[in-house]
Amino acid sequence: MRHRAWGGGAAALVVAALALWWLWPEDAAAPDAPPRAPAERVEAPPPVSLPPRMAPAPVRAEGLRLRVVLRGDVPFEGEARVGVTSISDADRHMWEVSKREGRSGAGPEKLEDLANVSEWRPVEVTPSVTGGTLGPVPVPVAPLYRVVAWAPDGTFWLGDVVPESEDFTGVVEAVLSARAPTGVRVRLMGGRPEHGPFSLRVVRGVAQDVRDAERASELLPVVRHVAPDLASALSDEAVLPLPVGEPLELLPLPPDSAVLLQLQSTAGRVSKRVEVPLREGRVEPVVLDVDELFPEGVGQTVTLRGKVELEGTFIPPEGARLLGPGDVEVPLATDGRFVVSGLPSWEPSHFRVEVASPLSRRPVAATEQSFQFMPKPGVRDAEVTWRVPAYRWLVLRMDGAMRAQMEARTQKPYPVYVLQRWGEGARWELASAGAFIPEEDGMAVSILEPGRYRVLVSFSVHEVYASTAADVGEGNADGIVTFQVDVEGSDCEVLVTAGRKPVFGARVTASSDVSSLPPAWGLTDAEGRWRLGRVRPFGLHLEVEAEGYAPWTGEVSEACGRGGEVRVQL
C-alpha cells in the first residue's frame, strides 16, 4: 500500500508542472535582448576539394646482402673488393636471340658470362681462425658479383657469386678458398755502383691456345688490385725499378706458360729477353746477370750541343722546328743553338728539322730534313752543326697564250710537270722536287743540288713535251727553261679485234715511260676502237683486257708514229 501512495503523488506533481508551463507568459521566458543589426550578405567560399586518399607507404624491405666465407689456413689480413656487374641491353638481346634461334658453338653458354664489372666496392672482412667472412654487406641487384680479396704474402681469393634468384631481399652466400700466387722472385747479379740503378720490363708469355690465354687473363683483375704497378708493366710496358741488394717479387702474375723479363740500364739500354717458365701457384726464382745480359756494356748517356743553320747563312730557316727521338721538340735559340741530354751512346739518335712553307712566296728549304747523330766510343759530350740545304730554282717560262692553250687542251689531273736531271749515265733521269710554285710568268721548280735540269710538261699520258735544259749552279741565280707545243706527233687510235671481228667494251689502259704520270683508260666502241689522241714520241704502253680473252700488253709509240693506229688482236 505504501508504494501505491508514492506513485499517486508523483503523478500529481507532473500534472501541476505542465499546468504552470502552460500559464506562464511569453515575455517572462527570457530577458530583453538588444535589437539585431541587419545581416550582411557574404559570398560563400568556393568548395575546397579534399586531397585524394594516399595509399599507405609500403614498408621498405631490408634489401639484398652478400656474405662470402674466405677459407684459409690463417686468420685473414688484407683487403677485399666486390665488383658489381651489369649486362648491356645489346648483349642481352643478342644472347636471347641466339638461344631462341638455337645457335650453338659460339658465344657464352650462360647469360651471366656477359656481365662486366661496372663498379668496385671496398668491403670489410672479419677474420676468423680459418680465414674470414666478408659481410654481410648490402649490394644492389646484379646478375653476378665478382669477389677479390688478397693478403700481404700474395695469397688471394677470387670468384664469381651468382644469385640463385632475382629476389630483391635476402642474403646471397658463397664460399671461396685461398689460392697461392703465381710469380717470380728476381735477383740481380753483377751490378756495380758505376752502373747506376736498373729497371725491369715484364712481358706476358701468352699461350697459343686461346682457351689457356683467356683462363690466365681471368686473373688480371686480381693483379690490378693487388699490384697496380705490375699490372701497368704488363699492359702499358711501364718499367719497374729493381732494388739493389734485395730480390724483387713479381706476384701475382697471370698463370701463363712463361713470363719474359728484360733488364734496362740507367742509360736506357735494354738487354735481350729472358724467358722464365711459370707453374701455377709457385714463385719461381730467377737471377739476372748484368755481364751476361750486357756483353758490350750497359751503355752511357751523351749530351749533344749543336747548331742548325740554313745553307749559306749562320741562322736557322725561318720558322724551323727541331724534333728529336720520339718526335720530342728540342728548343731552338734564335741563332739555331740547342742542347739535348740523355742520348744513348750505343745507337744512333734521329732528328729532323721541319720548315713551314710560306703561303705567298717561295720556300727557302724543304719542309723536312733528317739528321742522324752517332756518338764516338767513350764520348760523353759532343758538338755538331747541321746545315739545312737551301733551295735553288729552275723556272719554266710560260706566257699567257701558252697557259690558255694548256687549259683548253688538258683535263684534270693534267697538266703534270716532271723534273729531270742529266745523270752520270749520259741520260735524263727522274729527279725529286720538293715544290712546284705557280708564278705570274711560269712555274718555279725547287732543286736541292747543282746540275743540268729540264722539265717535262704533260698534257696527257701520251702527249708529253720536254723543255730546254739549264745548268743550275751553287749560286742563287734561277735557271730559266722554256718549251713549245710543236707539230711533231700525230693522232692515234686503238683497234681491238678477235677473229677479225671488233671487240666492244674492251678496257684499254695507256701508261707512259715517265712513271710519275697518271695512266689513262677507256672502253672500245662498237667498232672496237678507242681514240688515244695526239701521241708524242715518248714511250707509250698499252694493256687491253676483255671478258673471255687473255690480256694483251705492248709498247705502241712506234706504231702510232707510223700509221696513227694500233691494232690489237686478242
Side-chain angles (χ1 to χ4, degrees):
M1 294 297 290
R2 189 175 182 177
H3 289 289
R4 186 181 301 271
W6 274 104
L13 288 175
V14 169
V15 171
L18 289 173
L20 182 63
W21 174 79
W22 179 262
L23 298 175
W24 194 272
E26 293 183 1
D27 294 341
D32 294 340
R36 294 183 179 181
E40 295 182 1
R41 184 173 181 179
V42 179
E43 295 290 338
V48 178
S49 58
L50 296 177
R53 296 191 61 180
M54 302 295 292
V59 179
R60 290 193 175 183
E62 186 178 358
L64 194 63
R65 293 179 296 164
L66 177 68
R67 180 178 181 272
V68 180
V69 175
L70 305 179
R71 289 180 176 174
D73 297 331
V74 296
F76 178 84
E77 181 182 357
E79 299 181 48
R81 303 285 188 274
V82 171
V84 180
T85 66
S86 60
I87 302 174
S88 68
D89 293 339
D91 287 345
R92 185 184 298 271
H93 175 72
M94 184 176 298
W95 185 85
E96 291 175 351
V97 170
S98 63
K99 293 305 177 184
R100 186 166 58 248
E101 295 179 355
R103 301 176 190 173
S104 60
E109 295 181 0
K110 297 178 293 183
L111 178 61
E112 55 265 22
D113 292 340
L114 294 172
N116 295 308
V117 175
S118 55
E119 177 190 5
W120 286 101
R121 297 185 175 188
V123 291
E124 296 290 335
V125 176
T126 303
S128 66
V129 177
T130 57
T133 302
L134 183 156
V137 293
V139 290
V141 176
L144 177 147
Y145 305 98
R146 185 154 296 160
V147 179
V148 177
W150 64 93
D153 63 354
T155 303
F156 67 94
W157 293 258
L158 174 66
D160 292 338
V161 181
V162 181
E164 295 181 356
S165 64
E166 297 183 357
D167 292 339
F168 291 83
T169 59
V171 179
V172 180
E173 295 185 318
V175 177
L176 298 179
S177 298
R179 296 167 61 179
T182 303
V184 295
R185 185 176 293 108
V186 183
R187 186 169 63 87
L188 186 66
M189 185 177 69
R192 295 185 289 275
E194 61 268 23
H195 291 161
F198 288 87
S199 53
L200 197 65
R201 294 177 179 267
V202 186
V203 181
R204 291 179 61 187
V206 181
Q208 294 183 351
D209 191 322
V210 177
R211 291 171 296 181
D212 291 342
E214 289 181 350
R215 176 180 170 274
S217 298
E218 290 177 354
L219 202 68
L220 288 177
V222 178
V223 182
R224 295 190 190 101
H225 287 293
V226 179
D229 291 341
L230 178 56
S232 179
L234 292 172
S235 60
D236 305 329
E237 299 184 358
V239 295
L240 298 173
L242 195 59
V244 179
E246 59 184 66
L248 173 65
E249 289 189 340
L250 304 178
L251 56 89
L253 286 172
D256 296 308
S257 58
V259 65
L260 307 176
L261 305 179
Q262 280 184 295
L263 199 60
Q264 180 172 305
S265 69
T266 304
R269 192 167 195 176
V270 180
S271 72
K272 65 180 181 180
R273 288 183 173 180
V274 178
E275 183 174 345
V276 182
L278 295 178
R279 290 178 290 178
E280 187 170 359
R282 300 284 297 273
V283 179
E284 307 291 346
V286 59
V287 177
L288 299 180
D289 190 332
V290 173
D291 294 331
E292 180 183 347
L293 294 177
F294 295 100
E296 299 178 358
V298 298
Q300 297 176 332
T301 58
V302 178
T303 298
L304 177 63
R305 308 176 193 276
K307 192 171 186 286
V308 174
E309 296 178 351
L310 178 63
E311 181 185 11
T313 70
F314 298 100
I315 59 174
E318 182 181 355
R321 298 172 63 234
L322 177 61
L323 302 178
D327 284 343
V328 177
E329 185 169 359
V330 179
L332 271 181
T334 54
D335 62 353
R337 297 186 185 277
F338 64 90
V339 178
V340 184
S341 302
L343 296 177
S345 63
W346 62 91
E347 64 183 5
S349 299
H350 298 278
F351 295 79
R352 73 177 194 270
V353 176
E354 292 184 348
V355 181
S357 296
L359 298 177
S360 58
R361 53 188 172 87
R362 298 178 184 178
V364 297
T367 56
E368 184 173 304
Q369 182 69 42
S370 298
F371 296 94
Q372 178 177 291
F373 169 67
M374 182 65 199
K376 296 179 181 179
V379 173
R380 301 295 301 274
D381 289 272
E383 293 186 2
V384 295
T385 298
W386 290 329
R387 291 181 174 84
V388 177
Y391 273 159
R392 299 164 179 85
W393 294 93
L394 180 70
V395 178
L396 176 65
R397 297 291 189 197
M398 293 183 291
D399 56 19
M402 179 62 72
R403 290 176 181 273
Q405 186 175 4
M406 290 176 60
E407 184 176 350
R409 294 179 53 182
T410 59
Q411 294 181 351
K412 289 184 178 182
Y414 290 91
V416 173
Y417 302 91
V418 179
L419 180 65
Q420 286 189 325
R421 186 175 186 270
W422 187 253
E424 296 179 356
R427 59 189 180 89
W428 290 104
E429 299 173 349
L430 188 66
S432 62
F436 289 84
I437 308 298
E439 296 181 339
E440 185 177 355
D441 57 351
M443 178 71 68
V445 185
S446 65
I447 293 173
L448 284 175
E449 57 181 336
R452 188 171 182 81
Y453 292 90
R454 73 176 185 179
V455 178
L456 298 182
V457 183
S458 305
F459 284 27
S460 69
V461 70
H462 45 76
E463 187 177 0
V464 183
Y465 299 91
S467 74
T468 57
D471 294 320
V472 180
E474 296 285 353
N476 295 326
D478 294 343
I480 306 299
V481 295
T482 59
F483 81 102
Q484 291 184 350
V485 178
D486 52 36
V487 295
E488 188 178 358
S490 58
D491 288 348
C492 187
E493 65 180 8
V494 180
L495 174 61
V496 181
T497 59
R500 297 184 179 181
K501 294 183 178 180
V503 177
F504 171 71
R507 181 185 176 95
V508 183
T509 303
S511 58
S512 172
D513 279 344
V514 184
S515 58
S516 58
L517 295 182
W521 68 275
L523 301 176
T524 56
D525 58 17
E527 297 180 356
R529 297 183 179 275
W530 179 62
R531 185 178 180 279
L532 269 172
R534 192 174 190 189
V535 176
R536 292 279 297 166
F538 277 86
L540 181 64
H541 303 273
L542 288 187
E543 181 177 349
V544 181
E545 298 173 309
E547 186 176 357
Y549 300 96
W552 181 96
T553 59
E555 210 289 330
V556 298
S557 57
E558 185 177 349
C560 281
R562 281 199 314 264
E565 184 180 75
V566 178
R567 296 188 176 184
V568 176
Q569 178 70 34
L570 299 180

mmCIF file of all heavy atoms in Angstrom, residues 259-289:
data_model
loop_
_atom_site.group_PDB
_atom_site.id
_atom_site.type_symbol
_atom_site.label_atom_id
_atom_site.label_comp_id
_atom_site.label_asym_id
_atom_site.label_seq_id
_atom_site.Cartn_x
_atom_site.Cartn_y
_atom_site.Cartn_z
ATOM 1 N N VAL A 259 106.886 -16.016 -68.473
ATOM 2 C CA VAL A 259 106.966 -14.566 -68.427
ATOM 3 C C VAL A 259 108.327 -14.167 -68.986
ATOM 4 O O VAL A 259 109.325 -14.866 -68.789
ATOM 5 C CB VAL A 259 106.771 -14.039 -66.980
ATOM 6 C CG1 VAL A 259 107.911 -14.495 -66.069
ATOM 7 C CG2 VAL A 259 106.672 -12.524 -66.979
ATOM 8 N N LEU A 260 108.373 -13.060 -69.720
ATOM 9 C CA LEU A 260 109.599 -12.579 -70.359
ATOM 10 C C LEU A 260 110.093 -11.351 -69.606
ATOM 11 O O LEU A 260 109.330 -10.395 -69.396
ATOM 12 C CB LEU A 260 109.345 -12.250 -71.827
ATOM 13 C CG LEU A 260 108.709 -13.365 -72.666
ATOM 14 C CD1 LEU A 260 108.424 -12.883 -74.078
ATOM 15 C CD2 LEU A 260 109.609 -14.584 -72.701
ATOM 16 N N LEU A 261 111.377 -11.358 -69.229
ATOM 17 C CA LEU A 261 111.982 -10.274 -68.469
ATOM 18 C C LEU A 261 113.085 -9.625 -69.283
ATOM 19 O O LEU A 261 113.857 -10.313 -69.968
ATOM 20 C CB LEU A 261 112.553 -10.794 -67.145
ATOM 21 C CG LEU A 261 111.589 -11.562 -66.234
ATOM 22 C CD1 LEU A 261 112.318 -12.038 -64.981
ATOM 23 C CD2 LEU A 261 110.398 -10.702 -65.866
ATOM 24 N N GLN A 262 113.171 -8.290 -69.221
ATOM 25 C CA GLN A 262 114.234 -7.520 -69.874
ATOM 26 C C GLN A 262 114.807 -6.542 -68.872
ATOM 27 O O GLN A 262 114.074 -5.803 -68.219
ATOM 28 C CB GLN A 262 113.700 -6.754 -71.086
ATOM 29 C CG GLN A 262 113.548 -7.586 -72.340
ATOM 30 C CD GLN A 262 113.118 -6.724 -73.517
ATOM 31 O OE1 GLN A 262 112.031 -6.181 -73.520
ATOM 32 N NE2 GLN A 262 113.980 -6.603 -74.502
ATOM 33 N N LEU A 263 116.130 -6.546 -68.763
ATOM 34 C CA LEU A 263 116.819 -5.629 -67.871
ATOM 35 C C LEU A 263 117.128 -4.339 -68.625
ATOM 36 O O LEU A 263 117.557 -4.381 -69.780
ATOM 37 C CB LEU A 263 118.106 -6.273 -67.363
ATOM 38 C CG LEU A 263 118.745 -5.682 -66.111
ATOM 39 C CD1 LEU A 263 117.777 -5.753 -64.940
ATOM 40 C CD2 LEU A 263 120.036 -6.425 -65.786
ATOM 41 N N GLN A 264 116.905 -3.205 -67.984
ATOM 42 C CA GLN A 264 117.163 -1.904 -68.602
ATOM 43 C C GLN A 264 118.111 -1.109 -67.707
ATOM 44 O O GLN A 264 117.873 -0.973 -66.504
ATOM 45 C CB GLN A 264 115.861 -1.129 -68.805
ATOM 46 C CG GLN A 264 116.044 0.241 -69.449
ATOM 47 C CD GLN A 264 114.728 0.887 -69.805
ATOM 48 O OE1 GLN A 264 113.914 0.300 -70.516
ATOM 49 N NE2 GLN A 264 114.503 2.097 -69.334
ATOM 50 N N SER A 265 119.185 -0.578 -68.323
ATOM 51 C CA SER A 265 120.174 0.173 -67.562
ATOM 52 C C SER A 265 119.714 1.610 -67.358
ATOM 53 O O SER A 265 118.718 2.062 -67.939
ATOM 54 C CB SER A 265 121.522 0.149 -68.284
ATOM 55 O OG SER A 265 121.450 0.909 -69.483
ATOM 56 N N THR A 266 120.488 2.338 -66.537
ATOM 57 C CA THR A 266 120.165 3.743 -66.295
ATOM 58 C C THR A 266 120.201 4.556 -67.578
ATOM 59 O O THR A 266 119.408 5.482 -67.777
ATOM 60 C CB THR A 266 121.154 4.331 -65.269
ATOM 61 O OG1 THR A 266 121.110 3.539 -64.082
ATOM 62 C CG2 THR A 266 120.813 5.771 -64.936
ATOM 63 N N ALA A 267 121.106 4.194 -68.473
ATOM 64 C CA ALA A 267 121.220 4.913 -69.737
ATOM 65 C C ALA A 267 120.095 4.581 -70.704
ATOM 66 O O ALA A 267 119.951 5.248 -71.737
ATOM 67 C CB ALA A 267 122.567 4.599 -70.401
ATOM 68 N N GLY A 268 119.289 3.564 -70.388
ATOM 69 C CA GLY A 268 118.179 3.198 -71.259
ATOM 70 C C GLY A 268 118.458 2.011 -72.152
ATOM 71 O O GLY A 268 117.591 1.621 -72.941
ATOM 72 N N ARG A 269 119.639 1.416 -72.039
ATOM 73 C CA ARG A 269 119.942 0.253 -72.870
ATOM 74 C C ARG A 269 119.188 -0.957 -72.349
ATOM 75 O O ARG A 269 119.142 -1.218 -71.140
ATOM 76 C CB ARG A 269 121.441 -0.028 -72.867
ATOM 77 C CG ARG A 269 121.866 -1.028 -73.933
ATOM 78 C CD ARG A 269 123.364 -1.049 -74.132
ATOM 79 N NE ARG A 269 123.720 -1.718 -75.370
ATOM 80 C CZ ARG A 269 124.951 -1.808 -75.833
ATOM 81 N NH1 ARG A 269 125.957 -1.238 -75.164
ATOM 82 N NH2 ARG A 269 125.205 -2.422 -76.968
ATOM 83 N N VAL A 270 118.582 -1.722 -73.271
ATOM 84 C CA VAL A 270 117.728 -2.844 -72.903
ATOM 85 C C VAL A 270 118.414 -4.142 -73.308
ATOM 86 O O VAL A 270 118.952 -4.266 -74.415
ATOM 87 C CB VAL A 270 116.348 -2.730 -73.576
ATOM 88 C CG1 VAL A 270 115.455 -3.898 -73.193
ATOM 89 C CG2 VAL A 270 115.674 -1.422 -73.179
ATOM 90 N N SER A 271 118.403 -5.110 -72.402
ATOM 91 C CA SER A 271 119.026 -6.396 -72.675
ATOM 92 C C SER A 271 118.118 -7.273 -73.524
ATOM 93 O O SER A 271 116.966 -6.918 -73.808
ATOM 94 C CB SER A 271 119.339 -7.102 -71.353
ATOM 95 O OG SER A 271 118.130 -7.564 -70.754
ATOM 96 N N LYS A 272 118.625 -8.427 -73.894
ATOM 97 C CA LYS A 272 117.777 -9.410 -74.562
ATOM 98 C C LYS A 272 116.762 -9.952 -73.570
ATOM 99 O O LYS A 272 116.914 -9.820 -72.342
ATOM 100 C CB LYS A 272 118.633 -10.545 -75.118
ATOM 101 C CG LYS A 272 119.322 -11.364 -74.036
ATOM 102 C CD LYS A 272 120.152 -12.489 -74.635
ATOM 103 C CE LYS A 272 120.820 -13.315 -73.524
ATOM 104 N NZ LYS A 272 121.642 -14.425 -74.088
ATOM 105 N N ARG A 273 115.722 -10.583 -74.074
ATOM 106 C CA ARG A 273 114.665 -11.107 -73.214
ATOM 107 C C ARG A 273 115.077 -12.430 -72.578
ATOM 108 O O ARG A 273 115.708 -13.279 -73.220
ATOM 109 C CB ARG A 273 113.374 -11.294 -74.007
ATOM 110 C CG ARG A 273 112.688 -9.987 -74.365
ATOM 111 C CD ARG A 273 111.377 -10.244 -75.090
ATOM 112 N NE ARG A 273 110.635 -9.005 -75.283
ATOM 113 C CZ ARG A 273 109.454 -8.922 -75.882
ATOM 114 N NH1 ARG A 273 108.886 -10.037 -76.345
ATOM 115 N NH2 ARG A 273 108.841 -7.762 -76.010
ATOM 116 N N VAL A 274 114.712 -12.567 -71.316
ATOM 117 C CA VAL A 274 114.939 -13.809 -70.577
ATOM 118 C C VAL A 274 113.579 -14.452 -70.331
ATOM 119 O O VAL A 274 112.706 -13.862 -69.686
ATOM 120 C CB VAL A 274 115.654 -13.537 -69.242
ATOM 121 C CG1 VAL A 274 115.826 -14.838 -68.460
ATOM 122 C CG2 VAL A 274 117.003 -12.874 -69.485
ATOM 123 N N GLU A 275 113.392 -15.658 -70.843
ATOM 124 C CA GLU A 275 112.119 -16.369 -70.679
ATOM 125 C C GLU A 275 112.160 -17.222 -69.423
ATOM 126 O O GLU A 275 113.059 -18.054 -69.252
ATOM 127 C CB GLU A 275 111.828 -17.237 -71.906
ATOM 128 C CG GLU A 275 110.484 -17.953 -71.825
ATOM 129 C CD GLU A 275 110.141 -18.691 -73.104
ATOM 130 O OE1 GLU A 275 110.782 -18.417 -74.134
ATOM 131 O OE2 GLU A 275 109.227 -19.549 -73.068
ATOM 132 N N VAL A 276 111.179 -17.027 -68.551
ATOM 133 C CA VAL A 276 111.094 -17.775 -67.295
ATOM 134 C C VAL A 276 109.818 -18.609 -67.321
ATOM 135 O O VAL A 276 108.714 -18.059 -67.326
ATOM 136 C CB VAL A 276 111.075 -16.821 -66.085
ATOM 137 C CG1 VAL A 276 111.043 -17.629 -64.786
ATOM 138 C CG2 VAL A 276 112.277 -15.889 -66.110
ATOM 139 N N PRO A 277 109.924 -19.946 -67.347
ATOM 140 C CA PRO A 277 108.715 -20.784 -67.305
ATOM 141 C C PRO A 277 107.979 -20.593 -65.975
ATOM 142 O O PRO A 277 108.596 -20.427 -64.924
ATOM 143 C CB PRO A 277 109.257 -22.213 -67.444
ATOM 144 C CG PRO A 277 110.624 -22.047 -68.041
ATOM 145 C CD PRO A 277 111.141 -20.741 -67.518
ATOM 146 N N LEU A 278 106.653 -20.628 -66.032
ATOM 147 C CA LEU A 278 105.824 -20.439 -64.847
ATOM 148 C C LEU A 278 105.072 -21.717 -64.528
ATOM 149 O O LEU A 278 104.691 -22.484 -65.424
ATOM 150 C CB LEU A 278 104.821 -19.300 -65.060
ATOM 151 C CG LEU A 278 105.383 -17.891 -65.245
ATOM 152 C CD1 LEU A 278 104.247 -16.907 -65.500
ATOM 153 C CD2 LEU A 278 106.203 -17.466 -64.033
ATOM 154 N N ARG A 279 104.849 -21.920 -63.212
ATOM 155 C CA ARG A 279 103.990 -23.004 -62.733
ATOM 156 C C ARG A 279 102.941 -22.373 -61.821
ATOM 157 O O ARG A 279 103.286 -21.629 -60.895
ATOM 158 C CB ARG A 279 104.803 -24.055 -61.975
ATOM 159 C CG ARG A 279 105.717 -24.876 -62.871
ATOM 160 C CD ARG A 279 106.524 -25.859 -62.060
ATOM 161 N NE ARG A 279 107.526 -25.184 -61.232
ATOM 162 C CZ ARG A 279 108.351 -25.826 -60.395
ATOM 163 N NH1 ARG A 279 108.276 -27.152 -60.272
ATOM 164 N NH2 ARG A 279 109.239 -25.148 -59.683
ATOM 165 N N GLU A 280 101.694 -22.681 -62.077
ATOM 166 C CA GLU A 280 100.620 -22.043 -61.329
ATOM 167 C C GLU A 280 100.737 -22.347 -59.845
ATOM 168 O O GLU A 280 100.951 -23.491 -59.437
ATOM 169 C CB GLU A 280 99.261 -22.507 -61.858
ATOM 170 C CG GLU A 280 98.091 -21.755 -61.253
ATOM 171 C CD GLU A 280 96.778 -22.045 -61.942
ATOM 172 O OE1 GLU A 280 96.782 -22.831 -62.918
ATOM 173 O OE2 GLU A 280 95.755 -21.486 -61.502
ATOM 174 N N GLY A 281 100.619 -21.281 -59.044
ATOM 175 C CA GLY A 281 100.694 -21.430 -57.606
ATOM 176 C C GLY A 281 102.109 -21.507 -57.053
ATOM 177 O O GLY A 281 102.289 -21.752 -55.858
ATOM 178 N N ARG A 282 103.129 -21.257 -57.903
ATOM 179 C CA ARG A 282 104.527 -21.298 -57.460
ATOM 180 C C ARG A 282 105.210 -19.974 -57.776
ATOM 181 O O ARG A 282 104.874 -19.304 -58.760
ATOM 182 C CB ARG A 282 105.273 -22.432 -58.158
ATOM 183 C CG ARG A 282 104.716 -23.824 -57.901
ATOM 184 C CD ARG A 282 105.103 -24.310 -56.508
ATOM 185 N NE ARG A 282 106.551 -24.429 -56.392
ATOM 186 C CZ ARG A 282 107.255 -25.513 -56.739
ATOM 187 N NH1 ARG A 282 106.610 -26.587 -57.234
ATOM 188 N NH2 ARG A 282 108.551 -25.573 -56.585
ATOM 189 N N VAL A 283 106.185 -19.604 -56.948
ATOM 190 C CA VAL A 283 107.010 -18.420 -57.179
ATOM 191 C C VAL A 283 108.387 -18.911 -57.590
ATOM 192 O O VAL A 283 109.108 -19.537 -56.795
ATOM 193 C CB VAL A 283 107.090 -17.529 -55.928
ATOM 194 C CG1 VAL A 283 107.981 -16.328 -56.194
ATOM 195 C CG2 VAL A 283 105.703 -17.069 -55.506
ATOM 196 N N GLU A 284 108.756 -18.647 -58.858
ATOM 197 C CA GLU A 284 109.995 -19.165 -59.420
ATOM 198 C C GLU A 284 111.148 -18.186 -59.175
ATOM 199 O O GLU A 284 111.017 -16.995 -59.435
ATOM 200 C CB GLU A 284 109.841 -19.394 -60.926
ATOM 201 C CG GLU A 284 108.653 -20.255 -61.322
ATOM 202 C CD GLU A 284 108.817 -21.703 -60.899
ATOM 203 O OE1 GLU A 284 109.951 -22.097 -60.537
ATOM 204 O OE2 GLU A 284 107.815 -22.447 -60.919
ATOM 205 N N PRO A 285 112.306 -18.678 -58.704
ATOM 206 C CA PRO A 285 113.468 -17.800 -58.548
ATOM 207 C C PRO A 285 114.193 -17.614 -59.889
ATOM 208 O O PRO A 285 114.273 -18.545 -60.696
ATOM 209 C CB PRO A 285 114.338 -18.555 -57.540
ATOM 210 C CG PRO A 285 113.983 -19.999 -57.769
ATOM 211 C CD PRO A 285 112.539 -20.023 -58.175
ATOM 212 N N VAL A 286 114.700 -16.420 -60.128
ATOM 213 C CA VAL A 286 115.448 -16.150 -61.359
ATOM 214 C C VAL A 286 116.554 -15.143 -61.044
ATOM 215 O O VAL A 286 116.350 -14.212 -60.260
ATOM 216 C CB VAL A 286 114.521 -15.619 -62.475
ATOM 217 C CG1 VAL A 286 113.815 -14.346 -62.050
ATOM 218 C CG2 VAL A 286 115.303 -15.359 -63.755
ATOM 219 N N VAL A 287 117.726 -15.369 -61.647
ATOM 220 C CA VAL A 287 118.881 -14.497 -61.451
ATOM 221 C C VAL A 287 119.209 -13.846 -62.789
ATOM 222 O O VAL A 287 119.362 -14.537 -63.802
ATOM 223 C CB VAL A 287 120.094 -15.284 -60.926
ATOM 224 C CG1 VAL A 287 121.307 -14.363 -60.808
ATOM 225 C CG2 VAL A 287 119.775 -15.920 -59.582
ATOM 226 N N LEU A 288 119.319 -12.509 -62.787
ATOM 227 C CA LEU A 288 119.681 -11.762 -63.988
ATOM 228 C C LEU A 288 121.123 -11.289 -63.840
ATOM 229 O O LEU A 288 121.436 -10.483 -62.947
ATOM 230 C CB LEU A 288 118.738 -10.570 -64.185
ATOM 231 C CG LEU A 288 117.252 -10.906 -64.362
ATOM 232 C CD1 LEU A 288 116.438 -9.631 -64.553
ATOM 233 C CD2 LEU A 288 117.047 -11.851 -65.533
ATOM 234 N N ASP A 289 122.004 -11.810 -64.713
ATOM 235 C CA ASP A 289 123.434 -11.480 -64.669
ATOM 236 C C ASP A 289 123.698 -10.302 -65.588
ATOM 237 O O ASP A 289 123.471 -10.378 -66.805
ATOM 238 C CB ASP A 289 124.248 -12.702 -65.105
ATOM 239 C CG ASP A 289 125.732 -12.517 -64.844
ATOM 240 O OD1 ASP A 289 126.196 -11.363 -64.846
ATOM 241 O OD2 ASP A 289 126.428 -13.532 -64.646
#
